[in-house]
Amino acid sequence: MSASEPAPAQPPAGLPALPVTFRPTRTRAVLLTTGVALVVVLSAIGLLLERLSPGEKLSFVFTGLLFFGVLALLSRPKVVADADGVTVVNLTTKRRLAWAEVLRVNLRPGDPWVYLDLSDGTSLAAMGIQPGIAKARAIDDARTLRALAEQHGTH
C-alpha cells in the first residue's frame, strides 16, 4: 500500500469486518450429515437385497439422493452482509437489498427466523439466522445484523 492509498476502514468496536456471512451452521451440519447417512443406508439396503431387480435397486439409490437433495435445499439459507447491503438466500430465492432498504431487523421470541422490515412496507424472512439448534448464536447474529443495518442504513 502506497502513501497515496487510503487505509482500509476499520469496523467499529464489536462489529465484524465486512463481508460477513450468517448461517445456521449446526443445523446445516445436522441436515447434510443426515442426508449423507440416508444416501449410504438406502443405497446399501437397495444393493444388498438380492431379490430386487436392478430397477428396484436403482430406486433405493434414487430415493436416498432425493432425500439428500431436499435436506441440502433446507441447509441453503444464509445472510451475507457487505459494504453495499445484504443478500438474503432462502430455500429457493435470493434477494439483494441495499442497506437503505433495511429499516429494521427483528427476531422476536417464538419467531422461526429473523425478519427484515423493508422500506417498501413489506417484511422479508431471512432464514439464514434461525434460533433452532443454536438460539444464543442466532440472537447474537441478529443483534450484529441489526447494528450493521443501523450503521450503514439511513438511521
Side-chain angles (χ1 to χ4, degrees):
M1 178 167 63
S2 67
S4 63
E5 293 179 23
Q10 295 295 322
L15 291 181
L18 297 177
V20 62
T21 300
F22 304 102
R23 73 175 357 143
T25 52
R26 287 185 192 166
T27 301
R28 182 177 166 88
V30 168
L31 289 171
L32 293 176
T33 302
T34 302
V36 169
L38 279 170
V39 169
V40 170
V41 168
L42 287 173
S43 297
I45 289 171
L47 297 174
L48 292 175
L49 291 175
E50 296 174 8
R51 291 186 173 182
L52 297 180
S53 70
E56 290 170 325
K57 291 181 180 197
L58 187 61
S59 71
F60 271 81
V61 175
F62 177 75
T63 301
L65 292 172
L66 186 63
F67 277 122
F68 179 79
V70 170
L71 293 175
L73 186 66
L74 290 172
S75 71
R76 183 175 182 250
K78 66 181 175 178
V79 177
V80 180
D82 59 35
D84 299 323
V86 179
T87 302
V88 177
V89 178
N90 287 332
L91 296 179
T92 59
T93 61
K94 180 178 180 179
R95 184 163 175 196
R96 177 73 182 157
L97 302 165
W99 282 115
E101 292 179 84
V102 180
L103 300 180
R104 188 167 177 192
V105 177
N106 298 305
L107 180 60
R108 296 175 290 267
D111 281 350
W113 38 71
V114 163
Y115 289 93
L116 305 178
D117 291 338
L118 305 179
S119 60
D120 64 1
T122 63
S123 182
L124 176 66
M127 297 172 71
I129 302 175
Q130 50 183 268
I133 295 175
K135 185 175 181 178
R137 165 108 188 247
I139 292 169
D140 289 343
D141 288 351
R143 286 181 179 148
T144 301
L145 185 59
R146 182 180 301 132
L148 288 168
E150 289 172 358
Q151 177 191 6
H152 294 285
T154 57
H155 293 79

